[in-house]
Amino acid sequence: MTSRTPTDSARDIPEATVARLPVYLRALTSLTEQGIATCSSEELATAAGVNSAKLRKDLSYLGSYGTRGVGYDVDYLRYQIAREIGVTQDWPVVIVGIGNLGHALANFSGFRSRGFRVVALLDADPARKGEEVAGIEVRPFDEIDTIVRENGVAIGVIATPAHAAQDVADRMVACGISSILNFAPTVLTVPPGVDVRKVDLSIELQILAYHEQRKAHGEPL
Amino acid sequence: MTSRTPTDSARDIPEATVARLPVYLRALTSLTEQGIATCSSEELATAAGVNSAKLRKDLSYLGSYGTRGVGYDVDYLRYQIAREIGVTQDWPVVIVGIGNLGHALANFSGFRSRGFRVVALLDADPARKGEEVAGIEVRPFDEIDTIVRENGVAIGVIATPAHAAQDVADRMVACGISSILNFAPTVLTVPPGVDVRKVDLSIELQILAYHEQRKAHGEPL
DNA sequence: AGGAGTTTGTGAACGTGAGAACAAACCGGC
DNA sequence: GCCGGTTTGTTCTCACGTTCACAAACTCCT
Ligand SMILES: NC(=O)c1ccc[n+]([C@@H]2O[C@H](COP(=O)([O-])OP(=O)(O)OC[C@H]3O[C@@H](n4cnc5c(N)ncnc54)[C@H](O)[C@@H]3O)[C@@H](O)[C@H]2O)c1
Ligand SMILES: NC(=O)c1ccc[n+]([C@@H]2O[C@H](COP(=O)([O-])OP(=O)(O)OC[C@H]3O[C@@H](n4cnc5c(N)ncnc54)[C@H](O)[C@@H]3O)[C@@H](O)[C@H]2O)c1
């Protein structure tokens, strides 16, 4: 089951580490832009907002890309992380639900610059058909099958109202999408093998509110 | 330090539990809307997309609000969770940076319905001054001090470009905001006592890409 | 060449979180 | 009042994540 050739790099990177690799990637890009060619784990950790021991342990799962007594070559490490995450290639993405949020997402420049390419904007509302957002035409949701198959899309973004999200997810899965980023405030049910990540604004706010309440209560000043 | 009156409820709720309470809250609201008055931990867990043992353990940190052999009273439990999180009261919120994303956030109905009230939209661009978004006037960023003090704002949302985010955060902290939700792709540095949570679209996509890549590589079919 | 100084990579200790399992508590029927 | 069935609250164990601390490995200077 876990038999692999010795050539491919270390496997089984912990989930917590995977979640931080993109942060390191961004910090390294920022260092490159500042003309910095080499950095220590301490410097990179500061730029990424984490503990340096944690950073070193995270990087050790990828391999030994640093030099003791010196540090890391910024460009080299950046490439290694990008390769490990899989963003050296471009990932085609579809966005479904071109309302308030969908418009913002379509205009988001961070897609292109980080290895993702929006290949289609889809909406069920016939009134939106043909509308152009960020240089991309909005197409009917029914065309999802064709678009996904033609472009080899593996990642879908859901920005529809909550009540439509499960249906959209089902259609996505049916035509071969196996990774979903969900902005709708609903729990999605998907078959095994499909990954779902959610971004939920009100959950984040409520977590902040909880701590805020405790601050106010704990210190009567 | 940890001396508390016996009247106030259980303290020190684990962070992982805090992050799930809003999910339970939403599931309970959904059950109420379906006219369901009582539910078992199993049912609620399914609705929230978690393990029932985990749900029961989470709820046990709040107190004993269920009845053995019966389950939980939906409305009662919902109130208890809302009270624990602190969303029985309304939290005033300011949004800074009314661009693509800021517009979407201003129009987001989930604020109001979940215990948050947008008291101001702020932007540094003079061209936006006076513009009305979602029935709220966009005001100059410099007015943040007045607005925060007059409304007792504790929570701020940052939707500016990355290069402006740290400055905005500093200004927020200076005028008394102690919880920040950051949409800009930057690491924010804030003094102790201030909470920052980030929502980062490209990180989420990169995590999906990592798993997607491994799916493709692991199974040569 | 060797030693002082620096920084990585990792083993080991600690803390937090997840899930299985079960006793305690409750309900309804008789 | 008691018994069988049900569901909670909690305990126990294991897995995962974080942090410390240090040997190994490198550079630079003499
Ligand atoms: N606006 C925000 O800032 C924000 C923030 C967090 C979460 N959200 C969530 O994101 C989702 C979208 O928010 P919004 O403000 O853009 O809503 P919106 O109503 O402006 O847009 C929703 C869009 O989805 C389309 N749609 C509806 N059903 C569809 C279907 N079955 N298939 C395809 N398209 C469909 C609609 O035609 C509409 O264009 C909501 O679930 C909302 O709760 C929004
Ligand atoms: N658009 C998206 O869907 C999306 C998704 C994820 C993250 N983001 C991030 O959110 C941020 C905003 O994205 P956007 O697409 O809305 O950008 P935008 O350029 O459309 O809007 C930014 C707004 O911030 C204002 N601003 C700039 N400097 C400011 C300052 N110092 N004080 C106050 N206001 C200031 C600008 O005037 C502008 O109105 C960016 O950091 C972006 O990376 C956007």
Side-chain angles (χ1 to χ4, degrees):
Chain A
M1 190 67 78
T2 48
S3 68
R4 300 223 173 227
T5 65
T7 49
D8 65 13
S9 53
R11 296 300 94 193
D12 265 28
I13 298 179
E15 200 49 42
T17 296
V18 171
R20 282 187 294 265
L21 291 179
V23 180
Y24 304 153
L25 201 54
R26 184 173 290 156
L28 288 166
T29 302
S30 167
L31 290 178
T32 295
E33 283 165 3
Q34 291 166 49
I36 298 170
T38 296
C39 70
S40 69
S41 64
E42 203 76 47
E43 292 164 325
L44 183 53
T46 303
V50 301
N51 184 302
S52 71
K54 184 148 62 178
L55 171 79
R56 287 199 300 279
K57 177 147 267 193
D58 283 343
L59 295 184
S60 77
Y61 291 113
L62 314 189
S64 271
Y65 297 130
T67 309
R68 297 176 190 216
V70 180
Y72 301 93
D73 180 284
V74 173
D75 281 339
Y76 181 58
L77 182 58
R78 187 165 60 120
Y79 172 75
Q80 292 300 338
I81 295 179
R83 193 181 49 78
E84 191 68 40
I85 298 176
V87 292
T88 43
Q89 56 192 286
D90 249 34
W91 291 94
V93 171
V94 294
I95 303 177
V96 177
I98 314 302
N100 288 304
L101 183 60
H103 272 82
L105 296 176
N107 280 299
F108 180 49
S109 57
F111 274 113
R112 200 61 182 248
S113 63
R114 297 188 199 287
F116 300 90
R117 192 177 73 250
V118 179
V119 297
L121 306 176
L122 302 172
D123 202 295
D125 186 351
R128 293 205 184 271
K129 187 182 166 186
E131 185 184 340
E132 196 167 289
V133 180
I136 305 172
E137 185 195 2
V138 178
R139 297 168 67 176
F141 179 57
D142 290 328
E143 296 182 14
I144 187 170
D145 296 75
T146 320
I147 292 165
V148 166
R149 288 186 217 285
E150 280 178 0
N151 295 278
V153 176
I155 302 177
V157 176
I158 299 179
T160 65
H163 62 82
Q166 183 63 58
D167 282 347
V168 171
D170 291 344
R171 284 290 295 272
M172 282 181 167
V173 171
C175 61
I177 285 177
S178 50
S179 290
I180 295 175
L181 183 55
N182 179 32
F183 284 87
T186 322
V187 176
L188 293 183
T189 306
V190 295
V194 176
D195 283 318
V196 175
R197 294 192 66 86
K198 69 163 189 279
V199 172
D200 196 318
L201 177 55
S202 36
I203 287 182
E204 299 300 326
L205 285 173
Q206 289 176 51
I207 295 171
L208 287 175
Y210 170 80
H211 293 297
E212 200 58 48
Q213 179 183 238
R214 302 204 65 194
K215 285 178 206 166
H217 181 260
E219 295 178 275
L221 185 59
Chain B
M1 190 64 81
T2 49
S3 67
R4 301 223 172 225
T5 64
T7 48
D8 67 13
S9 52
R11 297 299 96 192
D12 264 30
I13 298 179
E15 200 50 40
T17 296
V18 171
R20 281 187 294 265
L21 290 179
V23 180
Y24 303 154
L25 201 54
R26 183 172 290 155
L28 288 166
T29 303
S30 168
L31 290 178
T32 295
E33 282 166 3
Q34 292 167 49
I36 298 171
T38 295
C39 69
S40 68
S41 64
E42 203 76 47
E43 290 163 327
L44 184 53
T46 303
V50 301
N51 184 302
S52 70
K54 185 151 59 179
L55 170 78
R56 288 199 300 277
K57 183 168 238 187
D58 284 341
L59 295 183
S60 76
Y61 291 114
L62 314 189
S64 273
Y65 297 130
T67 309
R68 297 175 191 219
V70 179
Y72 300 93
D73 181 286
V74 173
D75 281 339
Y76 181 60
L77 181 59
R78 186 164 63 122
Y79 173 75
Q80 293 299 340
I81 294 180
R83 192 180 51 78
E84 191 69 40
I85 299 177
V87 291
T88 44
Q89 55 192 289
D90 248 35
W91 292 94
V93 172
V94 294
I95 302 177
V96 178
I98 313 301
N100 287 305
L101 184 60
H103 272 81
L105 295 176
N107 280 299
F108 181 47
S109 57
F111 275 112
R112 202 61 184 248
S113 64
R114 297 189 200 286
F116 301 90
R117 193 177 72 253
V118 180
V119 298
L121 306 177
L122 302 172
D123 200 296
D125 186 351
R128 292 203 186 273
K129 187 184 165 185
E131 185 184 339
E132 196 166 289
V133 181
I136 306 173
E137 186 195 3
V138 178
R139 297 169 65 176
F141 179 57
D142 290 328
E143 295 183 14
I144 187 169
D145 296 76
T146 320
I147 291 165
V148 166
R149 288 186 218 287
E150 281 179 0
N151 295 278
V153 176
I155 301 176
V157 177
I158 299 180
T160 67
H163 63 82
Q166 183 63 58
D167 281 348
V168 170
D170 292 344
R171 284 290 295 275
M172 282 182 169
V173 170
C175 62
I177 284 178
S178 50
S179 290
I180 295 175
L181 183 57
N182 180 32
F183 284 88
T186 322
V187 176
L188 293 183
T189 306
V190 295
V194 177
D195 283 317
V196 176
R197 294 191 67 86
K198 68 163 191 280
V199 172
D200 196 318
L201 176 56
S202 36
I203 288 181
E204 299 300 326
L205 284 173
Q206 288 176 53
I207 295 171
L208 288 175
Y210 169 79
H211 292 296
E212 199 59 46
Q213 181 182 236
R214 301 204 66 196
K215 283 179 208 168
H217 182 260
E219 295 178 273
L221 186 58

